[in-house]
Amino acid sequence: MTSTHDPLRLADVDPLVFTERARGGQIVGAVALDVVMPVALLTAGIIVIVAGQPALGWVFVLAALALLAVAVWLLGRTGRTVGVATVDARIVRRTTGAAAGAGALWALASGKLAMFDVRRGRDPFAPAIAAFQFPEAVAPAPSRARRGMVPTLLLDSGERLTLDTALVLGRDPSAPADAPAEVYRWADMSRTLSKSHVRLEWDGRQMWVTDLGSTNGTFVRGAGASTPLLPHQRTPVPTDVVLEIGDRTLTVRDAA
């Protein structure tokens, strides 16, 4: 029998899915590091040359030009200049998510580039689609929990929660109005948990986990390795598994 569904192709996926545009403060910080400093050096060099010290002045001028050249090269190749990397962002073409390439300055001047926050959203250089790979120790078999029963969550701090409704975990979590959920504030002295770190759901047959763009990520533990979940992507996860949430762990158990 022939399937009525075509296989998913990379071209069918928005290359900027799950990305987040950079905030104003990030843009200002990147510009300050990548542009203001070289311009200041260039200005200082000209002033020193006019003041009668050409040798020292040209040192400033050449240093400024070198900084600008490196910034343009990094922008074209990786979208991560020193300033952009410092504010945890990446500059890419706003339509394709690719690096600017050789025409980086022209693309920037013509508004074809955009800056994206790689901490709050997916890095545009990361794969737009990725099949979830279960760790070797976790077989991708259907969950053993019976329909109508709900899994139990065992926190490493000793708490036991029942996943009878959608749940958001974090050090100070909240749930948006368009995706209501219970929230659980998980005490975390190490501050490796984000405020709203992860969302867990049970649909009666399947457990779903969504990393909410956390700083330190969410992982499914396997034998000798852990598999990271893509940010903001609702991912099926079997029961009887250990989730690594920041430096904390959460064990999922089948319903008794």
Side-chain angles (χ1 to χ4, degrees), residues 5-97:
H5 298 282
D6 293 328
L8 185 64
R9 297 172 298 169
L10 189 60
D12 297 328
V13 180
D14 179 0
L16 298 176
V17 65
F18 300 130
T19 57
E20 293 284 345
R21 293 292 290 270
R23 296 172 177 172
Q26 290 174 293
I27 296 173
V28 170
V31 170
L33 289 171
D34 289 331
V35 177
V36 174
M37 289 181 63
V39 169
L41 280 174
L42 183 61
T43 303
I46 294 173
I47 292 173
V48 171
I49 291 173
V50 172
Q53 299 185 55
L56 180 59
W58 278 109
V59 170
F60 282 116
V61 171
L62 292 176
L65 294 177
L67 286 176
L68 288 173
V70 169
V72 172
W73 182 81
L74 289 173
L75 176 64
R77 291 292 300 273
T78 68
R80 298 261 289 178
T81 63
V82 173
V84 175
T86 300
V87 299
D88 291 313
R90 190 183 297 276
I91 296 177
V92 296
R93 292 187 178 272
R94 62 174 66 245
T95 55
T96 64

Side-chain angles (χ1 to χ4, degrees), residues 148-232:
M149 307 298 285
V150 294
T152 299
L153 311 177
L154 306 178
L155 310 187
D156 62 4
S157 48
E159 296 94 329
R160 181 186 298 262
L161 307 176
T162 301
L163 193 61
D164 49 7
T165 186
L167 178 68
V168 175
L169 286 172
R171 72 171 190 270
D172 188 17
S174 61
D178 59 348
E182 295 291 330
V183 297
Y184 186 84
R185 181 176 296 177
W186 197 354
D188 179 46
M189 299 302 293
S190 66
R191 296 183 67 83
T192 60
L193 294 179
S194 295
K195 287 186 176 181
S196 294
H197 195 112
V198 65
R199 179 185 176 96
L200 302 101
E201 302 168 85
W202 172 252
D203 65 6
R205 291 186 182 275
Q206 178 65 60
M207 172 110 167
W208 298 87
V209 180
T210 307
D211 181 89
L212 300 175
S214 64
T215 299
N216 294 306
T218 303
F219 300 79
V220 179
R221 179 180 292 178
S226 297
T227 301
L229 302 186
L230 292 178
H232 303 291

